[in-house]
Amino acid sequence: MNNRILALGLGLLLSAVASAANVTADRLVNAAKEPGQWMTYGGTYSEQRFSLLKKIDAGNVEQLGLKWFADYETNQNQHGSPLYVDGVIYVSTARNVVHAFNAKTGKQLWKYNPVIQGERLRYNLGLVNRGIAAWNGKIIMGTLDARLVAIDAKTGKEAWSVDTVPASLGLGEMTNKYSITMAPRVAKGKVFVGGSGGEFGVRGWIAAFDAETGKQVWRFWTVPGDPAKGFENPKLEQAAKTWSGEWWKSGGGGTVWDAAVYDPVTDLLYFGTGNATPWNARARDTKVIDNLYTASIVAVRPDTGEYVWHYQEVPGDSWDYDAVSPMMTADLTLGGEKKHVLLQPSKNGFFYVLDAAKGTLLSADPFTEVNWATGVDLKTGRPIEVPGSRYEAEPWNLAPGVQGGHSWHPNAFSPATGLVYIPAWEAYFTMAGPAANSPPPAAGGFSLGISMGTRVDADKLKPYARQGVRGRLKAWDPIARKVVWETEAFANGGPTSGVLATAGNLVFMGNGGGKALSAYDARSGAKLWGFDAKTAVFAAPISYELDGVQYVAASVGGAAQGGYFAPTHARMLVFGLGGKSVLPEPAPYTPPALNPPPSTASAEVIAHGGELYGRSCSVCHGVNGLQARTSFPNLTVTPLLYAQDAFDAVVLRGVRADKGMGSFAKDLKPEDAVAVREYLIARANALKAGTPAVALPAAPRRETGHAED
Ligand code: CA
């Protein structure tokens, strides 16, 4: 055997080994040396989402075309940013179905479905998953029923699965209110992931699990528990002094549902925490008080979970200003001094720059319209609040609204341009305290403490009356602390997708409302390329190189507004220069006819069914039995209304668990399922007759990719 053949044989052997996602600690720390790969959620540990690849550039991007596409099994919103490792694309889709594709051809190598369980499904905001981690031959994912699973990257078979909130934690009823939607991060042989559920009243945490076995290594509670039971550590004892009332009964909130960054430079793990529960500070506490460590960025030691520093963006939050928006580390020259910093464009509308080692606030400036604070005091780090914005006496038309000036959609930073690319929103929402005579929130429902859906006369609103969301791409200079360029606001109130920046001076972003994936000049913002994805785009694209060819991959799929369970054409799209593949035209879609059986049940049964429906079903299927704007089935037109046994097979026996509809047998008795069906029959008949629905409290933002914790 001559040396050339030997080398060829070795190369084949190595590529065979590598195809099992052999991601090691060394490869992750040195990810920038393998620019053709995309081995971790944010591209590298810095989470800058900056690809060093530049074969596709601002000069030739107009030749970018579709190389291949692959359809998904799921029909819901796709938020999952893919990974690319050694010839394979891995992507988590809605309701935790993971696909592995040959990155050159699009051939599906395997598909994994964890079959999520029903009792935890009623506490989530959209069956989404934002991403996965790769580690030592495994793909690791958090699930909607709060498990952490490891999948063999070669076979797609489950390697291990653990419940991240076991009964042994003693959380009682809270146990089943957690879900996981964030991408786990992996470093030093540990997987870091947090539980979602802040809107439902849980106690926030982030925990580390052994990446080989799933065994818990440590857990950091973000808020103190019941003082009578003692505190887990002295930091939580201190934090308890920043609460009043009986916060532990509703958990306190502070959920870690998106941003986490492991920083090899400081050897710290940073994460953001969500709102305190319930939203309204006055519904939570006897006085407005800081509520540590909610709405904060926290740094801990990755090996032990030991607290190192925190910075609270919003003391005593009353606006759902989770501090969980994606963060990144960068090296910036500030005032002539090189600084290693942590950057976050936050939901609350401010762009924060913190010293990464110490957590000191270096700057905080509004990157979008903000009317709850006039600025942030750099000495104290506290926001300077606008009087009235806490809606104590009168409603306040909040900007950014609870949708956020920017939410979970990943940002990018280009060291070449020095700009941070933010999928930014101008968002408005009317905040109003609960009406004097309003009943307390139903058990198991949203824990918000505000009056949702109250109609407030526009002329009574302060400081003005605006509603909705307008998305646009903004390029932010973190040194000059200003917007350098921005696109026009998207039509249709279109939200944005996540962002990818490349060394080819390009920024890729999708526009959820407009069904387009676009490329912009990273320096000027000029739109250079666009592609009709035939569906909404929410997830952040990635770029990779295979056999000397650069590709851009985007996971697309989202409900069109008003699309009553219309197919979303959710897919993986992969682009390269000269690509000529063509997406099929979506077939015309006719919604099922509204043709219910007659409503014969008693008013009591229907009312009882409505109450149960509101508690267990409305999160996915919509208020009043009608989901107008997402891709979940519209239950007023389902044939299941005609047969209780068929209805029970789905609701109580879980025959559609593999489609994301797990059994609700632990929540609903057989007579409850009868009442829910009778409620839906009554609702369908009322809709057919044109009877207006009774206003029930609605969740604000499950539609159009806003879904969060
Ligand atoms: Ca929240």
Side-chain angles (χ1 to χ4, degrees):
M1 190 184 285
N2 69 31
N3 282 346
R4 194 164 167 271
I5 292 172
L6 186 67
L8 194 68
L10 271 175
L12 284 172
L13 190 68
L14 281 172
S15 72
V17 170
S19 70
N22 190 25
V23 175
T24 60
D26 195 47
R27 284 186 82 185
L28 283 173
V29 171
N30 296 299
K33 291 182 184 160
E34 295 187 75
Q37 307 282 336
W38 196 281
M39 295 183 286
T40 185
Y41 182 68
T44 66
Y45 275 144
S46 70
E47 305 234 359
Q48 291 177 358
R49 283 193 175 265
F50 178 70
S51 170
L52 287 162
L53 302 177
K54 50 186 175 188
K55 285 180 178 164
I56 301 166
D57 64 23
N60 63 20
V61 69
E62 62 185 29
Q63 298 159 35
L64 196 63
L66 189 63
K67 285 282 190 184
W68 59 262
F69 63 92
D71 292 353
Y72 294 157
E73 175 187 299
T74 71
N75 199 34
Q76 282 107 11
N77 289 343
Q78 308 301 332
H79 291 188
S81 182
L83 300 181
Y84 168 81
V85 189
D86 302 331
V88 180
I89 288 181
Y90 304 92
V91 64
S92 59
T93 66
R95 61 180 168 74
N96 296 123
V97 178
V98 181
H99 296 259
F101 299 111
N102 178 313
K104 198 166 186 175
T105 65
K107 181 174 178 275
Q108 181 172 292
L109 303 174
W110 52 257
K111 181 181 74 185
Y112 166 81
N113 184 346
V115 189
I116 46 185
Q117 302 302 306
E119 60 264 27
R120 280 181 176 161
L121 285 187
R122 69 185 224 220
Y123 300 106
N124 76 81
L125 292 176
L127 295 193
V128 294
N129 180 270
R130 286 188 293 279
I132 47 185
W135 177 264
N136 192 24
K138 290 181 278 294
I139 298 297
I140 300 170
M141 171 177 62
T143 66
L144 289 156
D145 52 6
R147 282 179 286 156
L148 189 66
V149 298
I151 310 157
D152 185 310
K154 201 162 192 176
T155 64
K157 299 273 182 291
E158 197 166 282
W160 51 257
S161 167
V162 293
D163 185 353
T164 63
V165 274
S168 58
L169 290 175
L171 291 165
E173 283 184 14
M174 241 172 252
T175 304
N176 279 342
K177 292 188 175 187
Y178 290 95
S179 56
I180 297 176
T181 56
M182 68 179 280
R185 307 317 202 262
V186 63
K188 308 180 92 177
K190 295 176 191 66
V191 189
F192 309 105
V193 79
S196 305
E199 265 65 58
F200 300 103
V202 297
R203 186 181 180 200
W205 54 266
I206 184 169
F209 300 86
D210 185 296
E212 297 301 335
T213 64
K215 190 171 180 290
Q216 184 188 307
V217 181
W218 54 257
R219 184 179 305 259
F220 182 94
W221 295 100
T222 61
V223 295
D226 183 352
K229 293 182 180 168
F231 298 103
E232 287 85 354
N233 61 58
K235 293 309 292 186
L236 286 173
E237 188 168 3
Q238 285 174 26
K241 298 189 175 85
T242 66
W243 293 79
S244 62
E246 298 182 310
W247 70 88
W248 59 91
K249 290 189 175 167
S250 64
T255 53
V256 181
W257 62 267
D258 194 68
V261 175
Y262 167 68
D263 183 2
V265 177
T266 58
D267 193 28
L268 293 176
L269 175 72
Y270 316 111
F271 53 88
T273 64
N275 56 282
T277 304
W279 283 358
N280 184 345
R282 294 180 319 285
R284 183 166 71 233
D285 277 331
T286 47
K287 56 184 172 178
V288 174
I289 191 167
D290 287 3
N291 305 139
L292 289 172
Y293 299 97
T294 63
S296 300
I297 296 171
V298 184
V300 300
R301 301 210 185 281
D303 297 310
T304 59
E306 184 196 345
Y307 168 98
V308 177
W309 60 254
H310 82 275
Y311 170 68
Q312 188 174 43
E313 294 180 359
V314 189
D317 171 59
S318 221
W319 308 277
D320 188 26
Y321 282 154
D322 313 79
V324 304
S325 295
M327 299 186 282
M328 55 181 79
T329 58
D331 293 309
L332 300 181
T333 304
L334 298 169
E337 203 183 330
K338 197 178 160 194
K339 294 250 186 199
H340 185 61
V341 297
L342 188 63
L343 308 175
Q344 186 190 54
S346 189
K347 233 182 126 180
N348 70 21
F350 286 94
F351 187 99
Y352 292 90
V353 182
L354 302 176
D355 180 290
K358 298 179 203 148
T360 324
L361 179 66
L362 301 175
S363 65
D365 303 279
F367 63 90
T368 187
E369 188 174 349
V370 172
N371 73 14
W372 67 280
T374 54
V376 178
D377 183 329
L378 291 184
K379 281 209 182 73
T380 63
R382 297 176 79 90
I384 304 154
E385 290 181 18
V386 175
S389 64
R390 283 186 179 269
Y391 52 97
E392 289 105 332
E394 293 174 282
W396 184 262
N397 193 218
L398 181 68
V402 296
Q403 310 92 329
H406 166 254
S407 185
W408 60 268
H409 311 76
N411 319 284
F413 172 70
S414 165
T417 62
L419 300 176
V420 179
Y421 302 97
I422 310 170
W425 298 350
E426 284 119 35
Y428 307 95
F429 197 85
T430 300
M431 303 300 281
N437 58 352
S438 67
F446 287 97
S447 183
L448 305 181
I450 69 165
S451 176
M452 191 69 82
T454 299
R455 289 207 167 272
V456 183
D457 292 340
D459 57 2
K460 291 192 183 140
L461 275 176
K462 288 178 182 171
Y464 40 57
R466 295 179 195 164
Q467 294 292 313
V469 172
R470 294 193 310 160
R472 65 175 93 216
L473 176 60
K474 293 194 183 195
W476 176 267
D477 183 333
I479 296 173
R481 300 159 61 180
K482 61 173 190 171
V483 172
V484 174
W485 58 255
E486 61 184 29
T487 63
E488 294 284 306
F490 295 126
N492 315 327
T496 51
S497 79
V499 165
L500 162 73
T502 76
N505 267 314
L506 293 169
V507 182
F508 289 86
M509 191 175 90
N511 166 5
K515 301 189 178 182
L517 183 66
S518 302
Y520 302 88
D521 187 305
R523 296 156 296 194
S524 68
K527 185 173 167 178
L528 301 176
W529 173 83
F531 180 85
D532 178 4
K534 315 281 185 204
T535 185
V537 186
F538 299 128
I542 66 164
S543 190
Y544 62 93
E545 187 172 270
L546 175 56
D547 294 340
V549 177
Q550 184 187 355
Y551 298 89
V552 172
S555 182
V556 303
Q561 306 243 342
Y564 299 93
F565 202 39
T568 60
H569 312 286
R571 306 179 161 112
M572 173 60 62
L573 306 181
V574 170
F575 302 90
L577 293 175
K580 298 248 181 329
S581 288
V582 176
L583 287 179
E585 276 307 313
Y589 176 72
T590 313
L594 187 60
N595 190 23
S599 178
T600 55
S602 72
E604 280 97 352
V605 167
I606 292 167
H608 180 53
E611 199 184 305
L612 296 166
Y613 176 91
R615 202 181 72 190
S616 285
C617 321
S618 65
V619 154
C620 290
H621 294 284
V623 177
N624 284 316
L626 180 65
Q627 186 57 288
R629 293 165 82 186
T630 84
S631 51
F632 293 91
N634 171 4
L635 298 185
T636 59
V637 297
T638 174
L640 298 176
L641 295 186
Y642 277 88
Q644 189 66 42
D645 187 59
F647 191 83
D648 291 348
V650 174
V651 174
L652 301 179
R653 300 200 293 278
V655 297
R656 290 191 187 160
D658 67 327
K659 302 273 185 257
M661 174 61 198
S663 163
F664 279 73
K666 286 186 185 162
D667 295 306
L668 301 172
K669 299 186 199 75
E671 60 268 33
D672 294 336
V674 169
V676 171
R677 179 172 155 262
E678 290 296 349
Y679 165 74
L680 287 167
I681 290 171
R683 278 293 303 138
N685 279 286
L687 278 171
K688 202 172 178 186
T691 313
V694 180
L696 289 178
R701 56 190 185 291
R702 218 159 301 114
E703 70 282 5
T704 60
H706 297 182
E708 47 174 64
D709 42 351

